[in-house]
């Protein structure tokens, strides 16, 4: 945990900021605001990233993902006073800023509004943007929480407006901390209530079993890539099959690469491949570095519409798949399963990925998965053959010796 101590801000007293960094697509932020008496007045811990769709000079549209918050600053964050409510302000990247305002009622407090600003004059992020100006998206939220509770939402929360998508998850926030002690009593968002609350029911009939899905054929292989400027920085070939269970109904969905779009971003420590289609809002594959010399699949995020019209959303940023040395690619021709959760798995076919160190738009030497490695069968087969030969020799020897002994007895 890296802590920053800032000079006093009017209405806030002494401000102590703590930022927990992790090599994932968006960094886990932890903020502890303290007043002039060095007592905690606001606590927040959350993860977030942003997607921005913009028009290019060639009259096409591109989508970029903003997820690198490693150099975030917090100028303007305050505990609040009689005139102003608490406020969290975060600045990151080249001209990005994010602000959330809180208000207090008699026995509740509210997440009043959220605003996000981005500067399209940033040629690194928006090299071919048609409009070179600063844009701000403002969202009125007015979400009320009991004054003594901490708000929690581990599920993905998405705000969309004016071609900007704001994505939040693993959110914990208490804007008016009582007596300097962060509450342990949680007020859950609706999505977390749906996934964790169980209503006791006395069954009068046998519970219905989980519906068994009809097996599907092998999906077609998609060829995806991400560019950083004019250079390809990520390559991925894979057939994808989603296995989703919701309300005891399991769906198997093959992703059609012909109707699937791809975007993403590449950074020094992380890389993102985002897929989308008519029913898939986003399917994110987030890669990270391990010990500065290996890469692996760290995170998967999904939000999509199922056949029955419901929306399935899930995020897991604590995975460990597709591990390979930096400067190489990872390959697995046989079927492999990425278990995101008990309710969500991804089956991959003919997989090959390289999220870092792509040279001239081509794959580097591949490290094959254990499922493809047939060399291990050679010593097993040789060993089994030798064992069988030894057994045959021993049996023949014992039979021959027995016959010889029986012959001496006859004489």
């Amino acid at each position: 945990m890296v802590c920053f101590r800032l000079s006093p801000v009017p209405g806030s007293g002494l401000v102590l900021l703590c930022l927990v960094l992790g090599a994932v697509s968006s960094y886990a932020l932890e903020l502890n605001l303290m007043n002039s008496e060095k007592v905690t007045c606001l606590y927040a811990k959350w993860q977030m990233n942003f997607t921005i769709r913009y028009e290019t000079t060639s009259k096409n549209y591109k989508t970029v993902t903003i997820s690198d918050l490693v150099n975030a600053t917090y100028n303007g964050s305050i505990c609040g006073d009689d005139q102003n409510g608490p406020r969290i302000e975060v600045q990151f990247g080249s001209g990005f800023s994010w602000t959330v305002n809180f208000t207090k009622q008699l026995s509740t407090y509210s997440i009043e509004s959220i605003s996000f600003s981005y500067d399209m004059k940033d040629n690194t992020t928006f090299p071919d943007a048609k409009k070179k100006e600063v844009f701000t998206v403002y969202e009125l939220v007015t979400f009320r929480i009991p004054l003594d509770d901490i708000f929690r939402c581990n599920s993905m929360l998405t705000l969309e407006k004016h071609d900007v998508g704001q994505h939040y998850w693993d959110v914990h926030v208490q804007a008016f901390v009582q007596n300097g002690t962060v509450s342990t009593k949680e007020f859950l968002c609706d999505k977390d209530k749906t996934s964790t609350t169980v209503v006791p029911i006395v069954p009068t009939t046998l519970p219905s079993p989980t519906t068994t899905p009809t097996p599907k054929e092998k999906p077609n292989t998609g060829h995806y890539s991400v560019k950083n400027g004019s250079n390809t920085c990520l390559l991925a070939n894979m057939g994808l099959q989603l296995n989703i269970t919701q309300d005891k109904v399991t769906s198997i969905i093959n992703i059609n690469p012909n109707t699937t779009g791809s975007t993403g971003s590449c950074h020094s420590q992380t890389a993102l491949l985002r897929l989308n289609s008519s029913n898939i809002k986003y399917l994110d594959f987030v890669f990270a570095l391990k010990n500065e010399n290996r890469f692996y699949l760290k995170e998967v995020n999904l939000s999509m519409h199922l056949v029955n019209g419901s929306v399935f959303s899930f995020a897991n940023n604590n995975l460990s798949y597709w591990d390979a040395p930096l400067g190489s690619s990872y390959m697995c021709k046989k079927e492999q399963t990425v278990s995101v959760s008990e309710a969500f798995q991804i089956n991959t076919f003919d997989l090959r990925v390289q999220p870092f160190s792509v040279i001239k738009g081509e794959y580097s030497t591949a490290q094959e998965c254990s499922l493809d490695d047939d060399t291990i069968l050679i010593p097993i087969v040789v060993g089994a053959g030798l064992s069988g030969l030894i057994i045959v020799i021993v049996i023949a020897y014992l039979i021959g010796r027995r016959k010889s002994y029986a012959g001496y007895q006859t004489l």
Side-chain angles (χ1 to χ4, degrees):
M1 180 180 292
V2 183
C3 295
F4 304 89
R5 187 177 297 276
L6 305 181
S7 58
V9 179
S12 67
L14 183 65
V15 180
L16 181 67
L17 302 178
C18 297
L19 173 65
V20 179
L21 304 180
V24 294
S25 68
S26 60
Y27 294 85
L29 304 172
E30 185 171 2
L31 174 65
N32 191 33
L33 293 183
M34 305 182 77
N35 60 22
S36 57
E37 298 176 354
K38 296 185 180 181
V39 174
T40 297
C41 59
L42 184 151
Y43 176 80
K45 184 178 181 180
W46 76 105
Q47 295 196 63
M48 63 182 180
N49 63 25
F50 308 87
T51 55
I52 302 171
R53 183 174 181 265
Y54 68 96
E55 186 179 3
T56 67
T57 52
S58 58
K59 297 183 179 180
N60 295 320
Y61 285 88
K62 287 186 177 180
T63 301
V64 296
T65 299
I66 311 301
S67 56
D68 191 355
L69 310 181
V70 63
N71 295 317
T73 58
Y74 302 85
N75 300 324
S77 299
I78 61 173
C79 292
D81 51 28
D82 294 337
Q83 285 76 37
N84 301 291
R87 180 174 67 245
I88 299 174
E89 292 197 16
V90 184
Q91 303 85 33
F92 53 94
S94 300
F96 297 100
S97 63
W98 179 82
T99 303
V100 57
N101 291 287
F102 302 89
T103 58
K104 180 180 178 182
Q105 294 80 39
L106 184 62
S107 59
T108 62
Y109 64 95
S110 299
I111 303 174
E112 189 70 17
S113 63
I114 296 175
S115 63
F116 172 62
S117 297
Y118 55 98
D119 188 355
M120 296 190 69
K121 295 191 295 292
D122 174 16
N123 290 322
T124 301
T125 308
F126 311 100
D128 50 357
K130 181 179 179 180
K131 297 180 179 180
K132 294 293 186 178
E133 55 186 284
V134 176
F135 292 87
T136 299
V137 177
Y138 184 82
E139 292 276 1
L140 283 172
V141 182
T142 318
F143 190 84
R144 292 194 175 187
I145 304 153
L147 193 60
D148 294 331
D149 292 6
I150 183 170
F151 173 71
R152 190 203 84 184
C153 195
N154 292 331
S155 302
M156 178 75 72
L157 296 174
T158 299
L159 300 175
E160 288 191 333
K161 189 175 184 180
H162 301 320
D163 293 326
V164 174
Q166 304 179 52
H167 312 287
Y168 307 97
W169 66 99
D170 291 342
V171 177
H172 298 75
V173 61
Q174 186 175 4
F176 295 87
V177 176
Q178 305 296 299
N179 301 319
T181 302
V182 178
S183 177
T184 58
K185 185 179 179 183
E186 296 180 332
F187 183 83
L188 305 184
C189 65
D190 291 339
K191 284 189 175 181
D192 279 13
K193 290 177 183 177
T194 302
S195 61
T196 60
T197 303
V198 178
V199 179
I201 300 175
V202 179
T204 56
T205 59
L206 291 176
S208 58
T210 300
T211 302
T212 302
T214 303
K216 283 207 169 188
E217 67 279 2
K218 179 180 174 181
N220 294 327
T221 301
H223 304 277
Y224 311 104
S225 63
V226 175
K227 287 192 174 184
N228 190 355
S230 59
N231 298 319
T232 300
C233 59
L234 183 152
L235 292 170
N237 295 348
M238 50 189 170
L240 296 173
Q241 186 177 82
L242 309 184
N243 192 323
I244 296 172
T245 301
Q246 184 168 265
D247 298 330
K248 296 186 178 181
V249 177
T250 300
S251 304
I252 294 182
I253 304 160
N254 284 351
I255 291 183
N256 182 0
N258 296 325
T259 59
T260 301
S262 64
T263 58
S265 60
C266 299
H267 304 281
S268 59
Q269 298 290 318
T270 62
L272 165 70
L273 173 65
R274 165 164 289 191
L275 305 182
N276 56 76
S277 65
S278 58
N279 63 321
I280 298 176
K281 192 173 184 180
Y282 55 82
L283 172 57
D284 291 347
F285 296 91
V286 181
F287 301 88
L289 296 186
K290 179 189 296 184
N291 301 324
E292 299 298 328
N293 60 3
R294 300 185 71 86
F295 71 83
Y296 68 107
L297 178 66
K298 173 73 167 91
E299 180 177 344
V300 169
N301 304 318
L302 172 69
S303 180
M304 69 175 297
H305 293 276
L306 300 180
V307 177
N308 62 6
S310 63
V311 176
F312 181 86
S313 297
F314 197 87
N316 188 338
N317 63 357
N318 194 31
L319 302 176
S320 184
Y321 290 95
W322 307 350
D323 188 301
L326 192 64
S328 67
S329 60
Y330 177 86
M331 183 169 68
C332 198
K333 294 181 180 179
K334 295 182 180 178
E335 180 180 354
Q336 189 180 27
T337 300
V338 175
S339 183
V340 184
S341 71
E342 291 184 2
F344 175 34
Q345 297 86 40
I346 302 175
N347 302 324
T348 63
F349 303 80
D350 298 320
L351 170 70
R352 189 170 186 180
V353 294
Q354 185 170 345
F356 298 97
S357 306
V358 176
I359 300 175
K360 295 181 179 180
E362 297 181 355
Y363 283 105
S364 301
T365 304
Q367 172 165 311
E368 297 186 31
C369 66
S370 58
L371 296 173
D372 287 353
D373 190 1
D374 295 331
T375 57
I376 193 173
L377 295 177
I378 296 176
I380 294 175
V381 172
V382 173
L386 288 175
S387 299
L389 181 60
I390 292 172
I391 293 173
V392 170
I393 293 173
V394 171
I395 292 175
Y397 170 76
L398 293 175
I399 292 175
R401 188 175 180 183
R402 185 173 181 181
K403 287 183 177 179
S404 175
Y405 178 76
Y408 283 117
Q409 285 293 94
T410 304
L411 290 174

